[in-house]
Amino acid sequence: MASNGSGGGHHGDSEVKTDIITLTRFLTEEQHRLGPHATGDFTLLCHALQFSFKSIAYYIRRATLINLIGLAGSSNMTGDDQKKLDVIGNEIFVNTMRGCGKVKVLVSEEEEAAIIFPGHGKYAVVCDPIDGSSNLDAGVSVGTIFGIFKLDDDAEGRAEDMLRPGTELVASGFTMYGASANLVLTMKGGSVNGFTLDNALGEFILTHPDMKIPKSKGIYSVNEGNSLYWTEPCKAYFESIKYPQEPGVKPYSARYIGSMVADAYRTLCYGGLFAYPADKKSPKGKLRILYECAPMAMVMENAGGLAVTSDQRRMLEVVPEHIHDRSGIFMGSYNEVTKVTEIFKKHGVVAK
Ligand code: AFP
C-alpha cells in the first residue's frame, strides 16, 4: 500500500495532498485484497467503530467545556466509580455496534453481562470504551481498546462464545485520545497501521503505516506503587533493569501514565516494556483479558513484539474463565519481554 498522501502535488507554493489514504479507503482496499468472498460485513463494522471513536474524541475534547468532567454517580460491575464519560463512551459504543447490524455479541468493561443484539450479526466485539478514565479529569490521555472475533455460523450468540483465546481475534486495536486522536489497527496475520484523526476533514488518515516496535529499548512502564506486593521473580526483573550490575550498562528510564492505551502507544512507538504484573494484592492481576490484555497482545505481536502473562504463558493463548477475567501482563519489545521470561525462568516460573 502506497505511503499516505505521498501523491501530492505542488499547487502554487503549497504542498497539497491529493492522494490521502483515509481509514475508509484503507478498509475498502483491504476488503478488495481479500477477494470476492469478502461480504463487506467486517468493513461496515469497522466503519461503525470509527464513528464511535470520532464521537468519543469529540466529547473528550469538549469535556471541560460542557461539564462532562467528574463522576456519573454510578459504578460498574468491578466496583469502579464510573465517570460521566465512561457512561457516554459506553452508550456511544453500544449504539454504534447495535446500529451497524453486523455484531451479535458485545462485551464492554462498563456492562456486567454480555449484550446479545437481535439479528444475524456474524461478529462479536469486546471493548473498554474509556480506558484510563481515572485520568480524565486531569486531561491525561485515555483511550478505547477493542477486539473483534468472528462467530461460528451456527453460533446463537451467548456470553460463553466469548470465552476464547486472543489467537482467535480477527482484528484488534485502540484509539488514544491525546494531543490528537490516534487509532492503531491490526488484523489477523497482518501489519499494524496507525491513523491520526484530522478534525477538519473528520477522517482518520494513515500516518503510521506498518508500525514495528523496536526490538530493544531501556524504558519500563509499571506502577511501582505496587512493588511491595510483587513476587520475587518480578522484583528480580525490575531490580535488574534499575540497578544493572554489568559495567557500562545504564539503568532503564521509567515512564508510567496510568492509562494502558497511552503507555502502550508510547511503548509501540519507542519500544520498551509495559507491565501490570499479578501480585500478592491482585493474584490474577488487574487488567482484563478480553478487552485489555488480548487486543494489546495482538498489536504487540503483529508489530514484532511479545506479550506474556505473569506465569510466562503467551498472552494470546489465555482463555478467560469469564468475560471480565483478569491477568498479569508483560508486553512490548521482543528483547525486553524475553529478558523478563529469562529472569522468571531463573526463579522457576516457566510457561506450563
Ligand atoms: P481506569 O480505567 O480505572 O483508569 O484504569 C486504567 C487501567 O485499567 C489501565 O488503563 C491502566 O494501565 C491501569 O488500570 C492503571 O492502574 P493503576 O492505577 O493501578 O496503576
Side-chain angles (χ1 to χ4, degrees):
M1 180 157 314
S3 60
N4 190 38
S6 58
H10 283 279
H11 301 274
D13 55 6
S14 60
E15 166 67 22
V16 175
K17 291 199 173 12
T18 57
D19 180 16
I20 293 177
I21 301 178
T22 63
L23 177 60
T24 303
R25 173 176 163 185
F26 177 88
L27 293 166
T28 310
E29 289 175 357
E30 279 295 305
Q31 183 184 323
H32 291 156
R33 215 169 49 72
L34 293 172
H37 65 274
T39 63
D41 287 0
F42 177 78
T43 307
L44 278 175
L45 165 51
C46 289
H47 287 328
L49 274 175
Q50 78 163 307
F51 176 75
S52 68
F53 304 145
K54 292 176 185 175
S55 319
I56 293 172
Y58 172 78
Y59 287 113
I60 287 180
R61 254 196 333 272
R62 298 179 55 71
T64 315
L65 303 169
I66 54 176
N67 192 24
L68 284 183
I69 290 295
L71 293 173
S74 52
S75 59
N76 65 19
M77 81 281 115
T78 45
D80 304 331
D81 289 332
Q82 289 180 308
K83 299 282 182 167
K84 290 178 186 168
L85 278 162
D86 277 325
V87 176
I88 290 166
N90 184 56
E91 281 176 16
I92 289 171
F93 213 90
V94 170
N95 293 331
T96 48
M97 292 301 101
R98 175 188 300 109
C100 74
K102 303 303 174 189
V103 177
K104 185 66 183 172
V105 186
L106 174 66
V107 168
S108 165
E109 183 200 31
E110 302 304 332
E111 301 281 345
E112 178 144 10
I115 301 175
I116 314 297
F117 292 126
H120 308 290
K122 292 202 304 277
Y123 290 95
V125 173
V126 293
C127 78
D128 182 351
I130 309 281
D131 170 65
S133 55
S134 59
N135 279 319
L136 269 170
D137 297 4
V140 172
S141 301
V142 296
T144 299
I145 308 173
F146 65 94
I148 303 172
F149 291 96
K150 184 110 186 250
L151 292 171
D152 305 336
D153 291 345
D154 58 356
E156 295 138 41
R158 303 159 308 146
E160 294 71 38
D161 296 335
M162 305 308 294
L163 305 182
R164 38 207 302 193
T167 48
E168 295 181 16
L169 284 163
V170 292
S172 81
F174 57 85
T175 301
M176 180 182 73
Y177 310 107
S180 54
N182 291 92
L183 162 66
V184 170
L185 173 66
T186 193
M187 299 174 197
K188 197 173 183 62
S191 58
V192 174
N193 293 283
F195 301 80
T196 304
L197 180 59
D198 181 326
N199 291 318
L201 291 176
E203 287 283 354
F204 278 102
I205 311 294
L206 180 63
T207 47
H208 301 71
D210 197 14
M211 299 177 84
K212 292 285 180 229
I213 186 170
K215 278 260 174 286
S216 302
K217 184 70 180 179
I219 297 176
Y220 72 97
S221 182
V222 69
N223 182 345
E224 293 204 66
N226 294 328
S227 55
L228 179 65
Y229 310 110
W230 284 349
T231 61
E232 287 317 309
C234 190
K235 281 187 188 145
Y237 166 72
F238 286 107
E239 291 282 316
S240 75
I241 57 170
K242 290 168 62 177
Y243 311 103
Q245 304 306 308
E246 306 79 1
V249 175
K250 287 204 293 151
Y252 281 30
S253 287
R255 292 284 183 279
Y256 190 70
I257 298 166
S259 296
M260 185 188 198
V261 164
D263 285 313
Y265 191 63
R266 183 204 54 252
T267 303
L268 182 62
C269 295
Y270 298 165
L273 183 102
F274 168 83
Y276 207 107
D279 59 30
K280 295 169 192 137
K281 181 181 69 174
S282 322
K284 289 212 80 179
K286 175 186 180 181
L287 304 181
R288 280 45 69 103
I289 296 168
L290 263 183
Y291 44 80
E292 290 178 308
C293 300
M296 286 295 185
M298 186 181 188
V299 169
M300 290 298 164
E301 285 203 10
N302 286 359
L306 290 174
V308 296
T309 63
S310 283
D311 50 9
Q312 301 312 301
R313 285 178 296 151
R314 185 183 173 210
M315 187 74 241
L316 283 177
E317 288 168 7
V318 174
V319 178
E321 291 166 14
H322 57 86
I323 60 173
H324 299 294
D325 199 3
R326 303 168 189 263
S327 172
I329 187 167
F330 293 81
M331 66 179 203
S333 295
Y334 192 96
N335 296 341
E336 305 307 334
V337 178
T338 304
K339 263 192 207 139
V340 173
T341 302
E342 281 160 5
I343 289 181
F344 272 64
K345 192 173 178 190
K346 286 195 189 116
H347 286 75
V349 180
V350 291
K352 296 198 180 54

